[in-house]
Amino acid sequence: MQDKIKNNLLKQQDSDLLASLKNHVIIALTDNKGKLIYANEKFSDLLGVTKENTLGRCNHLLKSHVPNRASYVEIWSTLQAGEAWKGVLPHKTNTKKYWLETTIKPLKNNQGDVVKYLTLCNDISNYYSHPVYSKEKHLIGNFANETIYINKCGKIINTSRSVFNSSNDSFVGCFIYDFVNPSDQEYLRKEVKRVFDTGETSKYKSIGLCPKEKETTFITKIKPVVNLHDEIIYATISSKKLKAKVKAKDELKAMELKYSNIFQSINVGIIVVANSSGDIIEWNKGAELAFGYTETQIIGEPLTVLISKKHVATGVKELLKAVEKLDNNMYGENIEMLGLKKNGQEFPVEFTISHWKNGEEDFYCAIMLDISKRKKLEEKLKTTTKDLELFLYRAAHDLKAPLTSAEGLLNLLKEEKMNDRSTQVIDMLDETLEKSRSLLDDLAFASIVSEKKRAISIIDFETEISKVLTQLKGTENFDNIVFETDIQQTTDFHFNQELIKFVFQNLIQNAIIYSRPITDNHIPKIQIEVKALDANTHIIITDNGQGIGQEHIDKIFNLYYKISSRNPQSTGLGLFVIKRIVEDLNGDILVKSELNQGTSFEVILPNLF
């Protein structure tokens, strides 16, 4: 019989292939009842008997050690349908347990009836932890919202209800390991053992398939159940789907990809992200174009490689100030700095820094702009402004010469005998020349404000105010006004003496000119306050005079603007020049006024030490 079988196999297979099969594959042939009619030596060794003693025996590989085991029902259902079955089967001897990758193929006669079964097995015990007998749709996902009862070996002893929409009896007696992904089987076996050994509940996350065969995340809990004697009699397994979390995770990945693409697509703005140590961790295309470094070259490098070596100390100081403000939840200001390209070229940049936290880690994002063109325009504007100031100064100075000559001729005429009409005309000319001289003086002063700020000295406010009041004594209504002076100075104030005198003189003179007449119910008053602090000084001139209408407030600092003609000698340049002084030195000027109640000017000037 054996020779006949060999001959049949040789007719169907190449001889070299058959030799390989004999050496490496476990082969058995059974009749349609499952009795062995051929087995090779590998199969005999597996059963632990001689080759001759195998014939006539049942093929135990086709017999379940649990009579109603679902996998064996599936095997025989497949074979009886005349189809081949492929899967993994267990086999246990007294000394070892095997896992066999198995193919069982029905052999048919000429009439199409199954007369024999050919079994081919490959021993995969060394790398296979536990087989999955179930179809994918029967994975642990089907246990969601159900309870499974298992013993210490992982065998299912009961279910809360029919979790597979079938009879419970078909699955009671099966092992829970048959219904999980192969990658989770070994971990599950260890967790089951730990639960029964320690009595502690186990909870873990895994990836499985739900009934619709979509990958889903599950949280599985294994909980021990004890009797009155605190003995563990069985354990329950329950699982919950985390569809929403998986969906949120996918959405988060999509969002990260979206913003990463946006971040990298910005090639005009320069965006650099650094960690709390100051090391660069993100670098967009705009930064690459501006500095010349590729992402690979710059990631992990300190921010200081982007700062000009000449200004690195100042640059780091400014960065630390900005970071400190952000850490204290304060608004970050724009910072200007000289950047350094890979080729050593310097260029000006302006940037702001934003801050966020991810867990305990701090991150900082610098959004920069290359301001090279703007700086060139600013330098050009400064040069043009200086040229205009020089022209204005020289023009004012040159115009004084004919005025001086005219005044000399007018003085000669005053010595001559003239009638009343001539005298009146000469007085009018004298007044016009004086007004013209004042205008030219103010224009000349306005043109050299930028130059004046370079000559710095310590200001004695009491002395300066006294000088101004002495010069203004000839002003109309001066003697009717009460002057109150309050000087609070705790430190030396460094400023240009001529500029500070101009501020006091113009503001006090305006307060005198626009004062209200003295009456029984009103005494004209001017308060002069000085608050000299370390960083700046506040000069406040307050009166109780006519006040300024709201329609004029925004215009009083305009060139040549005059509210009224009450002061014919006014050139309309005083407040304009004060505004120029304040803006040129990064100070500020504030005004509050109410008609018939008075006006208050507050000038804030920096200490130029």
Side-chain angles (χ1 to χ4, degrees):
M1 174 67 72
Q2 292 184 14
D3 293 337
K4 186 176 180 180
I5 293 170
K6 289 181 181 179
N7 291 333
N8 288 336
L9 286 172
L10 286 171
K11 291 177 183 178
Q12 298 175 22
Q13 306 289 340
D14 182 85
S15 58
D16 292 337
L17 177 61
L18 182 60
S20 177
L21 289 173
K22 287 182 65 177
N23 292 327
H24 301 285
V25 180
I26 301 166
I27 305 172
L29 192 66
T30 63
D31 61 18
N32 59 0
K33 303 296 184 182
K35 291 186 178 181
L36 289 165
I37 55 177
Y38 170 78
N40 69 348
E41 292 180 0
K42 288 260 179 203
F43 187 86
S44 300
D45 293 341
L46 182 70
L47 295 182
V49 295
T50 63
K51 186 176 179 181
E52 290 74 16
N53 290 333
T54 58
L55 301 182
R57 291 172 174 261
C58 289
N59 186 349
H60 288 282
L61 295 182
L62 303 182
K63 183 179 179 182
S64 170
H65 56 281
V66 178
N68 59 355
R69 191 180 181 103
S71 55
Y72 286 89
V73 174
E74 180 185 331
I75 291 173
W76 283 108
S77 297
T78 302
L79 295 177
Q80 288 173 2
E83 299 175 357
W85 182 89
K86 293 182 179 180
V88 180
L89 292 176
H91 178 71
K92 188 175 183 180
T93 67
N94 293 332
T95 59
K96 185 178 179 182
K97 186 173 183 178
Y98 294 90
W99 299 107
L100 306 173
E101 186 177 39
T102 306
T103 299
I104 305 173
K105 183 178 180 181
L107 302 179
K108 300 178 182 179
N109 59 19
N110 294 334
Q111 289 74 36
D113 297 325
V114 176
V115 293
K116 298 180 183 68
Y117 296 102
L118 176 64
T119 303
L120 302 174
C121 302
N122 187 27
D123 186 358
I124 58 172
S125 304
N126 290 336
Y127 56 87
Y128 191 78
S129 61
H130 199 281
V132 179
Y133 299 116
S134 309
K135 295 180 180 179
E136 287 185 347
K137 66 180 182 178
H138 284 168
L139 288 170
I140 196 68
N142 298 78
F143 291 110
N145 302 319
E146 305 293 344
T147 302
I148 306 299
Y149 303 85
I150 62 170
N151 64 14
K152 187 174 183 179
C153 298
K155 184 183 290 186
I156 298 173
I157 58 177
N158 203 355
T159 61
S160 59
R161 60 193 180 103
S162 180
V163 295
F164 296 115
N165 297 319
S166 181
S167 171
N168 281 11
D169 293 339
S170 299
F171 299 96
V172 171
C174 298
F175 289 87
I176 190 65
Y177 313 116
D178 293 340
F179 305 101
V180 297
N181 276 325
S183 59
D184 295 330
Q185 290 169 3
E186 187 62 31
Y187 180 80
L188 180 57
R189 291 172 67 182
K190 289 180 180 178
E191 287 302 293
V192 169
K193 184 177 185 305
R194 188 173 70 81
V195 168
F196 277 91
D197 288 347
T198 65
E200 298 176 356
T201 298
S202 170
K203 191 175 182 180
Y204 71 96
K205 183 167 68 174
S206 62
I207 302 295
L209 296 178
C210 66
K212 293 183 180 180
E213 299 186 5
K214 292 183 179 179
E215 192 174 274
T216 309
T217 301
F218 296 92
I219 293 293
T220 301
K221 182 187 288 187
I222 309 172
K223 184 178 180 180
V225 179
V226 299
N227 58 19
L228 295 176
H229 303 288
D230 287 333
E231 298 171 339
I232 300 174
I233 53 177
Y234 58 86
T236 61
I237 294 184
S238 58
S239 298
K240 290 184 178 181
K241 298 178 185 178
L242 291 180
K243 271 187 176 180
K245 288 190 176 181
V246 173
K247 184 178 180 182
K249 186 177 180 181
D250 292 340
E251 290 177 351
L252 181 60
K253 286 182 179 178
M255 189 179 298
E256 287 176 349
L257 180 61
K258 172 184 174 183
Y259 285 103
S260 176
N261 290 335
I262 292 173
F263 176 83
Q264 290 300 331
S265 66
I266 298 174
N267 55 16
V268 178
I270 304 167
I271 304 178
V272 181
V273 181
N275 59 21
S276 56
S277 301
D279 298 327
I280 299 169
I281 61 171
E282 292 285 349
W283 183 259
N284 80 324
K285 190 67 176 177
E288 181 177 327
L289 293 172
F291 287 95
Y293 294 96
T294 64
E295 186 177 14
T296 306
Q297 293 171 331
I298 201 67
I299 296 301
E301 295 293 327
L303 271 173
T304 49
V305 302
L306 305 179
I307 303 175
S308 166
K309 305 303 180 188
K310 301 174 186 176
H311 302 87
V312 68
T314 306
V316 171
K317 186 177 180 181
E318 290 296 320
L319 282 173
L320 291 175
K321 281 184 182 178
V323 168
E324 185 178 359
K325 283 187 176 182
L326 290 171
D327 291 344
N328 293 328
N329 297 318
M330 296 173 66
Y331 176 75
E333 299 176 352
N334 287 2
I335 302 173
E336 286 190 11
M337 193 179 296
L338 272 181
L340 183 66
K341 296 187 178 184
K342 182 183 176 182
N343 61 9
Q345 181 183 350
E346 296 177 344
F347 69 107
V349 293
E350 179 182 74
F351 62 95
T352 57
I353 297 180
S354 59
H355 166 244
W356 75 92
K357 292 181 75 70
N358 186 5
E360 296 298 321
E361 183 70 17
D362 291 284
F363 296 94
Y364 301 90
C365 178
I367 301 177
M368 306 182 184
L369 284 176
D370 183 344
I371 57 172
S372 300
K373 291 183 179 179
R374 193 183 82 188
K375 283 296 180 182
K376 287 179 181 178
L377 288 173
E378 287 178 359
E379 289 301 320
K380 189 175 181 180
L381 182 60
K382 284 180 181 178
T383 302
T384 303
T385 302
K386 284 185 177 180
D387 291 342
L388 288 172
E389 288 175 347
L390 181 59
F391 171 78
L392 182 60
Y393 178 77
R394 287 179 177 175
H397 186 271
D398 292 343
L399 287 172
K400 283 184 180 181
L403 284 179
T404 302
S405 298
E407 286 176 344
L409 293 172
L410 195 61
N411 289 331
L412 290 175
L413 285 174
K414 289 179 182 179
E415 295 177 1
E416 301 293 329
K417 291 182 178 180
M418 288 177 286
N419 56 31
D420 293 341
R421 177 62 178 166
S422 298
T423 302
Q424 185 179 5
V425 172
I426 289 175
D427 289 341
M428 291 173 63
L429 286 171
D430 196 16
E431 184 178 336
T432 301
L433 289 173
E434 180 61 31
K435 184 175 180 180
S436 299
R437 178 177 287 279
S438 297
L439 177 61
L440 291 175
D441 286 341
D442 286 346
L443 285 172
F445 192 85
S447 67
I448 58 173
V449 166
S450 297
E451 297 298 324
K452 290 289 184 183
K453 68 182 181 182
R454 297 178 184 176
I456 305 301
S457 60
I458 297 176
I459 303 299
D460 184 341
F461 286 104
E462 188 172 351
T463 301
E464 295 302 324
I465 293 171
S466 178
K467 287 180 182 179
V468 168
L469 291 177
T470 300
Q471 291 177 1
L472 294 175
K473 278 187 177 180
T475 308
E476 186 180 356
N477 294 328
F478 181 89
D479 295 330
N480 296 329
I481 297 174
V482 176
F483 291 91
E484 296 179 354
T485 303
D486 180 15
I487 299 173
Q488 302 174 26
Q489 186 169 7
T490 59
T491 184
D492 289 339
F493 181 69
H494 299 76
F495 209 80
N496 179 269
Q497 194 171 9
E498 288 185 63
L499 296 181
I500 207 77
K501 177 184 176 183
F502 188 91
V503 170
F504 278 117
Q505 184 170 343
N506 277 269
L507 292 180
I508 296 172
Q509 186 178 32
N510 284 344
I512 296 171
I513 291 171
Y514 295 103
S515 63
R516 287 187 290 154
I518 187 171
T519 65
D520 293 339
N521 299 320
H522 175 76
I523 299 175
K525 184 186 297 184
I526 296 177
Q527 294 176 311
I528 305 168
E529 295 180 72
V530 176
K531 297 178 181 177
L533 308 175
D534 290 337
N536 50 49
T537 287
H538 296 245
I539 298 171
I540 306 168
I541 310 296
T542 305
D543 64 62
N544 60 351
Q546 297 177 26
I548 305 170
Q550 293 302 310
E551 69 274 15
H552 298 291
I553 288 290
D554 295 333
K555 303 174 184 177
I556 60 175
F557 296 106
N558 293 348
L559 184 63
Y560 299 128
Y561 187 80
K562 291 191 287 185
I563 298 175
S564 70
S565 58
R566 180 166 179 178
N567 180 18
Q569 298 299 324
S570 173
T571 62
L573 283 172
L575 291 178
F576 169 78
V577 176
I578 291 175
K579 182 75 170 177
R580 174 76 189 281
I581 294 170
V582 168
E583 290 180 345
D584 204 46
L585 295 168
N586 297 319
D588 201 3
I589 184 168
L590 309 171
V591 58
K592 297 178 183 178
S593 187
E594 188 176 346
L595 283 175
N596 298 319
Q597 296 296 320
T599 303
S600 176
F601 282 92
E602 181 177 4
V603 178
I604 304 170
L605 297 172
N607 196 343
L608 302 178
F609 48 80

